[in-house]
Amino acid sequence: MNNHRVLIDPPHLSKEKSLKTLVENRSAYTLNHCELNIFETYESSKLVPLKFNDFVVTSMLRGKKIMHLFDEPGFDYLPGETVVIPSNIEMKIDFPEASRENPTQCLALAIDNTKITDTLNFLNERYPKEGNDVFWQLNHQNYFFYNNVDLAATINKLIKECMSTSITKDALADLTLQELLIRIIQTQTIKSIDEGNAIHANSPIFEVTEYIKLNLRENINLKALSDKACMSTASFYRFFKRELGMSPIEYILNEKIRHAKKLLRNPAIQINEVCYLSGFEDANYFIRLFKKHEGITPKQYQLLYVN
C-alpha cells in the first residue's frame, strides 16, 4: 500500500451567515439509505463528543483533528485519511489548530445497517470467497487507513450524488454505497496483509501475497501465482482483483516500491543498488515509477531520512 494519501475534493465551506456554531457546524443531506454530514470547525477545542446510531465512514477534507476512539491513544487525523466507526461508538475529537482562517472540514457518512447487510449478503452469494468460513465482512478492528485512488474517487462520487437535486439521486447513491463498501473491504484486506495480520492466513490470497513479498527480485508471472493459488490464470486474476481492488501486477509494483522505500531510509545506499534489490532491472524506469507513486524521486525520498 502506498504511504501517500489521495485527497478528496472538499465541498465549499459554509457561508459565514449560515453558521449555527463554530464547533462542528453540521450540514446534512439525507437519502433513503444514508446520510451525508459535513462538519466544519472554526475554533480550537478539545474532546468534542460525536456519536452516530449507524455505521459511519468519516473522511478528513481540510485541517487537522486528533481522534480519540475505543479508549486508545489519540491519533492525528488529516486530509487523505478515512476512519470507519461501528454504530453507537462515541468518538471524542480535539481541534488543536482550528480557526476562522484555518477551519477543519470532515465528512461523516452514516449508512443504514440494512444496506450493509444486503451488500455483504449479495457479495457472499455472488462472489463467494475461497476457503472455509471466509466471508465478505467489514473489519471493525481495522478502522483507520489512507485513501487510495479508487476509494477517494468513490467517496467523491457519493458526495456528488448526496448533494445533487436529481430525482435519480437515491438510486445512484445506492449503487455508489455498494461500491464504497467493497472498496473499504478491499482497502482493509490490503492493510491486514501489509501488517502480516493472520486474519487472512487461511485464504489463498495470503499465501500468494507472502510469496510475492519473498520473491520481489524474481521475475514473478501470473502463471506462477495462479499455480500457487491452485486456480486457472483467468480465475486467479479475477479473484485477486476482487479481493484487493488491484491486479496482481499492480500489487507486485506496489510491493517493490514499498521495499525500495524501506531501503532508502539508509542514507548510505546507492539508488542503483535499491533499484536492483527491489527487483527492477532498469534504474530510469525505477526512478520514473517511484516518482509517479510517491510524487518525489528516490533520491529526494532518501534525503528525507538524512539527519
Side-chain angles (χ1 to χ4, degrees):
M1 197 166 60
N2 303 340
N3 276 356
H4 68 286
R5 307 156 177 81
V6 181
L7 303 182
I8 291 164
D9 303 329
H12 293 301
L13 290 164
S14 301
K15 295 200 163 48
E16 199 158 335
K17 283 181 186 151
S18 67
L19 292 177
K20 299 175 274 298
T21 168
L22 294 179
V23 177
E24 290 296 63
N25 181 74
R26 173 174 174 241
S27 309
Y29 304 84
T30 305
L31 282 77
N32 282 348
H33 294 120
C34 68
E35 180 182 71
L36 173 68
N37 300 273
I38 306 285
F39 289 99
E40 297 166 11
T41 295
Y42 291 82
E43 67 181 27
S44 170
S45 31
K46 275 198 152 184
L47 297 176
V48 178
L50 188 61
K51 184 156 97 173
F52 288 88
N53 299 329
D54 293 305
F55 172 78
V56 69
V57 178
T58 75
S59 278
M60 250 342 241
L61 303 169
R62 304 173 199 252
K64 169 183 164 177
K65 288 181 180 181
I66 296 170
M67 279 280 261
H68 304 270
L69 262 179
F70 306 116
D71 299 323
E72 291 184 6
F75 58 90
D76 287 357
Y77 192 17
L78 300 164
E81 298 173 349
T82 287
V83 172
V84 295
I85 302 153
S87 54
N88 297 308
I89 297 286
E90 184 170 74
M91 41 191 139
K92 288 204 162 71
I93 309 163
D94 301 340
F95 301 90
E97 298 167 3
S99 66
R100 293 280 183 139
E101 296 71 39
N102 181 33
T104 67
Q105 189 186 43
C106 182
L107 70 83
L109 181 79
I111 306 174
D112 278 2
N113 197 43
T114 50
K115 182 68 191 171
I116 294 170
T117 308
D118 289 352
T119 300
L120 294 177
N121 288 343
F122 165 77
L123 291 168
N124 286 318
E125 283 165 25
R126 197 68 182 272
Y127 306 104
K129 286 184 174 277
E130 308 288 330
N132 300 330
D133 303 324
V134 185
F135 300 101
W136 286 88
Q137 58 191 1
L138 288 159
N139 175 358
H140 294 315
Q141 276 72 52
N142 197 341
Y143 55 83
F144 170 78
F145 35 85
Y146 295 164
N147 298 341
N148 56 34
V149 173
D150 292 326
L151 185 62
T154 308
I155 295 173
N156 276 328
K157 203 180 339 177
L158 207 44
I159 294 172
K160 186 166 156 274
E161 297 309 343
C162 290
M163 291 182 159
S164 138
T165 51
S166 153
I167 54 167
T168 57
K169 72 176 184 178
D170 273 300
L172 292 169
D174 264 8
L175 292 169
T176 315
L177 279 175
Q178 197 169 55
E179 184 182 341
L180 178 66
L181 291 167
I182 294 170
R183 299 279 181 217
I184 288 170
I185 294 168
Q186 288 170 334
T187 307
Q188 288 179 329
T189 305
I190 293 173
K191 192 169 173 228
S192 292
I193 288 166
D194 283 352
E195 291 170 353
N197 193 324
I199 193 166
H200 295 282
N202 57 346
S203 161
I205 205 77
F206 187 76
E207 202 175 323
V208 167
T209 52
E210 279 303 288
Y211 174 79
I212 289 170
K213 286 175 185 176
L214 294 172
N215 294 280
L216 284 178
R217 280 162 62 187
E218 306 304 316
N219 189 5
I220 306 171
N221 61 36
L222 201 54
K223 175 82 172 72
L225 296 179
S226 41
D227 288 351
K228 201 106 201 118
C230 305
M231 295 181 195
S232 73
T233 308
S235 298
F236 170 73
Y237 184 88
R238 280 198 306 274
F239 160 72
F240 194 99
K241 191 138 191 191
R242 191 184 69 214
E243 294 284 310
L244 301 187
M246 63 176 79
S247 71
I249 300 305
E250 286 171 312
Y251 183 83
I252 291 166
L253 284 177
N254 278 355
E255 281 305 307
K256 287 182 173 188
I257 294 287
R258 216 155 77 96
H259 186 63
K261 282 160 67 178
K262 253 189 221 159
L263 296 171
L264 287 165
R265 285 170 199 168
N266 168 5
I269 198 165
Q270 296 293 316
I271 301 300
N272 279 352
E273 202 179 341
V274 173
C275 167
Y276 167 70
L277 291 173
S278 306
F280 293 98
E281 287 171 18
D282 180 299
N284 289 330
Y285 172 68
F286 164 62
I287 292 165
R288 271 203 319 277
L289 194 75
F290 191 97
K291 184 158 189 203
K292 187 178 164 202
H293 264 240
E294 300 301 318
I296 54 177
T297 65
K299 192 71 200 161
Q300 287 167 321
Y301 186 89
Q302 188 178 35
L303 291 172
L304 297 176
Y305 289 89
V306 175
N307 293 331

